Amino acid sequence: MHTIYKRILVTVSAVLLTIGICGIAIAVELGDRVEVHGYGHQGYLQATGNKYLDADSSGTFNFTAVALVFTAKLTDKSNAWAQVHYTAQDGTIINWSVDYQFTNELKAIAGQLKQPLGFYNEIHDAKFLHFSTIAPLLYHDAAEMAFEAFRGVSAVYDQDFGASSLSVDGYFGGPVAMEEDADMSTTNKNLLGGRITYNTPVEGLKFMVAGYTVQVEQTDNSTMVEEKGHHNMTMISAGYAVNNLDLKAEYVRDKILENKRESYYIQAGYTIADKFLPFVRYDYITTDRTMKDDPSFYQKEIVIGSSYKLTNNIALRVENHFNRGYALPVASGEVDEGKGKKNWNMIATSVSFIF
Amino acid sequence: MKISICCIITVFMIAALSMSVLAGDLVVIVNKDNNNAVDKALVVKIYTGATKNWPDGSPILAIDQSEESPIREEFNAGILGKTIANMKALWAQNIFTGKALPPKIANPDLEVKKIVSANKNAIGYIKASSVDDTVKVVVK
């Protein structure tokens, strides 16, 4: 990262954190129609055995995100939204949208939108809203199962049935590029997807089904062999959050060209005294189902950790990831295939805030 | 021994009575010209961002009170069944994903009443003792 960016990042983080700590952590209203919100986190990661997410046995602070979110009410039926988002890994991304509410049920949105997928994709870097510092494996950049965002259009249909409700998202556009692989040039276009969310009559119980298809063109940079095809993905999610208990489970199966992959996790957390949220998660991914017994292509982890809310705006987190297999360190290019350690740990701790 | 038990029961009864007075001390108000049917379930949907329009199709202007206000905690716990932290996380998710804008903040009751009485589509909550004939009570 350039030094100047680091300085800007540190300054912005310090200011936002100070705002949060001082309890001024409320949105800034600019006139009647514009509000400014934000979030961020600073993490410290340390890994034993395999290098991943820039972390090795000496640890890294290179796990940072800061975002400002602007919302504006254009008319009674239309809003504008923009997010200026900086992460240590991806640099600056600006997502934006303009929506129009046709009826109470139907809304159309256009812009550079976050991909609606599962529980966490749209709030990937708003760690304050997560159980853990490090998200479930399927959401990692190296997994390449979800896009950060896409440029295009979306329609949202919400139907209220009284005690239950249904929400349907449909979208089309061009994906915003994910992290580039040094060995492979990949172009994704014509992303078509959707998500159905059903909030059941049972309080706190919801189910989601999501999926997408996108055209893929891959060129191996060493052999210059080109492949064309599709990346198809389906995902089912279930969540139950009532009182202090929060349970989540998600399952994903996808196919990029001829490569079939799979991931799932189950997670449970319980809030104690409105402050502590201890949680446990079992997580699994295979980056090639034909090689799922090879530790270079699977990763199983048990995560145990807790968050502590200092205020309603600031949270501290600490967790340990007990890993077997190193599929994502291989996928990220930080460990060579067949050269990693099968059993390894990663400790993650962070401070996160919202306002 | 009997006296001690009587004292404990009395203390509990007073505490329960004061709690019920507290719970009944808050009312949800709308504009006097708002003829939509409003019940507690609709109020919950409005303040969690699930509903954006009144049943007659007009856009809802929801008014919240500040986090520091005791009446907000009472409203969240008594009407919405959530803590302030729960609501903050829910609205943060709505804001960060561009799904919905949070209710406007107004304090104190006088200002909430002023906005609600001036805007046909507004909804807010105030102490029962602050109610006058400029607004209509829909949920007690």
Side-chain angles (χ1 to χ4, degrees):
Chain A
M1 196 187 345
H2 296 301
T3 309
I4 185 74
Y5 284 144
K6 271 190 176 171
R7 283 183 188 161
I8 292 168
L9 180 66
V10 169
T11 308
V12 171
S13 302
V15 169
L16 294 177
L17 201 55
T18 307
I19 286 170
I21 288 167
C22 292
I24 314 164
I26 54 168
V28 179
E29 284 195 39
L30 305 172
D32 271 355
R33 290 179 179 272
V34 180
E35 288 184 17
V36 184
H37 299 263
Y39 62 81
H41 67 258
Q42 175 60 58
Y44 174 77
L45 314 179
Q46 192 178 45
T48 61
N50 298 312
K51 186 179 180 189
Y52 183 51
L53 298 174
D54 263 356
D56 53 19
S57 56
S58 55
T60 179
F61 284 97
N62 198 20
F63 193 77
T64 311
V66 184
L68 288 174
V69 179
F70 301 85
T71 61
K73 197 169 181 61
L74 303 177
T75 69
D76 281 344
K77 294 194 168 192
S78 181
N79 299 309
W81 173 88
Q83 178 202 47
V84 182
H85 182 223
Y86 178 87
T87 65
Q89 291 79 28
D90 300 327
T92 303
I93 297 170
I94 299 175
N95 296 317
W96 61 274
S97 68
V98 178
D99 66 40
Y100 186 82
Q101 192 84 37
F102 287 99
T103 65
N104 200 20
E105 291 81 25
L106 183 64
K107 181 164 78 171
I109 313 168
Q112 180 164 312
L113 313 169
K114 295 189 174 186
Q115 186 184 23
L117 203 66
F119 288 115
Y120 292 117
N121 199 47
E122 295 151 284
I123 51 165
H124 188 274
D125 287 306
K127 297 295 180 192
F128 186 91
L129 303 176
H130 291 226
F131 280 19
S132 55
T133 296
I134 301 176
L137 299 172
L138 71 94
Y139 293 102
H140 290 213
D141 287 350
E144 295 187 342
M145 285 183 159
F147 294 98
E148 164 86 26
F150 65 96
R151 290 185 200 97
V153 291
S154 169
V156 182
Y157 182 79
D158 295 310
Q159 184 63 57
D160 190 352
F161 299 111
S164 63
S165 65
L166 190 71
S167 181
V168 181
D169 292 79
Y171 55 90
F172 177 76
V176 174
M178 289 189 289
E179 197 171 283
E180 281 297 318
D181 187 336
D183 301 327
M184 198 77 76
S185 297
T186 305
T187 306
N188 294 289
K189 55 187 179 186
N190 296 330
L191 173 70
L192 176 67
R195 178 176 66 184
I196 299 170
T197 305
Y198 178 54
N199 291 298
T200 69
V202 178
E203 189 192 349
L205 179 65
K206 73 156 77 172
F207 295 102
M208 287 190 280
V209 181
Y212 67 80
T213 181
V214 63
Q215 288 177 13
V216 183
E217 291 177 14
Q218 270 186 354
T219 307
D220 189 313
N221 292 335
S222 55
T223 62
M224 297 311 286
V225 173
E226 191 178 281
E227 279 189 280
K228 287 183 183 179
H230 284 85
H231 179 182
N232 299 319
M233 187 258 217
T234 51
M235 180 176 197
I236 53 174
S237 314
Y240 180 65
V242 71
N243 298 326
N244 297 326
L245 180 66
D246 195 324
L247 303 173
K248 285 184 172 64
E250 300 197 281
Y251 174 81
V252 172
R253 189 171 264 222
D254 76 346
K255 184 180 171 191
I256 303 181
L257 302 173
E258 294 308 313
N259 183 23
K260 293 178 180 175
R261 305 157 342 136
E262 187 177 44
S263 182
Y264 58 83
Y265 75 87
I266 182 162
Q267 176 177 267
Y270 191 84
T271 304
I272 299 167
D274 278 343
K275 295 280 186 191
F276 287 99
L277 174 59
F279 74 94
V280 61
R281 181 168 74 224
Y282 176 76
D283 211 340
Y284 170 82
I285 192 166
T286 175
T287 52
D288 185 343
R289 273 162 49 201
T290 62
M291 305 282 283
K292 64 182 182 183
D293 296 324
D294 182 333
S296 297
F297 295 95
Y298 76 78
Q299 191 168 332
K300 299 171 186 176
E301 68 172 22
I302 293 173
V303 189
I304 297 172
S306 182
S307 66
Y308 175 74
K309 278 188 182 168
L310 282 175
T311 69
N312 284 337
N313 300 82
I314 300 172
L316 305 174
R317 285 183 172 73
V318 63
E319 72 216 31
N320 198 9
H321 298 242
F322 302 92
N323 286 285
R324 177 170 292 183
Y326 49 97
L328 293 189
V330 169
S332 69
E334 289 165 286
V335 174
D336 290 333
E337 197 181 311
K339 301 265 177 72
K341 288 211 170 137
K342 187 175 169 186
N343 296 312
W344 58 291
N345 285 353
M346 177 174 265
I347 294 168
T349 182
S350 65
V351 55
S352 60
F353 63 89
I354 56 170
F355 69 91
Chain B
M1 182 64 180
K2 278 184 180 174
I3 292 170
S4 302
I5 291 170
C6 282
C7 284
I8 291 167
I9 290 170
T10 307
V11 168
F12 270 101
M13 285 178 69
I14 291 169
L17 195 61
S18 60
M19 290 285 278
S20 66
V21 168
L22 190 70
D25 196 33
L26 179 152
V27 292
V28 179
I29 55 168
V30 297
N31 186 279
K32 284 183 83 172
D33 296 330
N34 186 334
N35 295 319
N36 290 288
V38 183
D39 58 11
K40 191 176 162 184
L42 181 62
V43 173
V44 172
K45 284 177 183 169
I46 291 170
Y47 278 89
T48 54
T51 293
K52 298 174 189 77
N53 292 343
W54 291 109
D56 68 8
S58 49
I60 296 167
L61 174 64
I63 310 296
D64 215 342
Q65 299 222 16
S66 75
E67 278 179 35
E68 293 74 33
S69 164
I71 196 171
R72 167 121 167 216
E73 196 170 347
E74 192 185 332
F75 176 74
N76 284 351
I79 304 289
L80 306 181
K82 309 263 187 194
T83 63
I84 287 181
N86 289 153
M87 289 304 294
K88 200 166 181 67
L90 188 151
W91 275 107
Q93 185 147 347
N94 281 336
I95 294 162
F96 297 157
T97 56
K99 281 195 167 29
L101 302 185
K104 291 282 171 197
I105 303 290
N107 278 102
D109 286 0
L110 192 63
E111 196 186 338
V112 176
K113 233 172 16 177
K114 196 173 156 187
I115 295 170
V116 172
S117 63
N119 191 316
K120 192 184 168 189
N121 297 322
I123 182 170
Y125 56 88
I126 57 174
K127 289 194 283 288
S129 55
S130 301
V131 172
D132 60 26
D133 60 2
T134 61
V135 292
K136 182 161 75 177
V137 173
V138 285
V139 175
K140 288 183 181 178

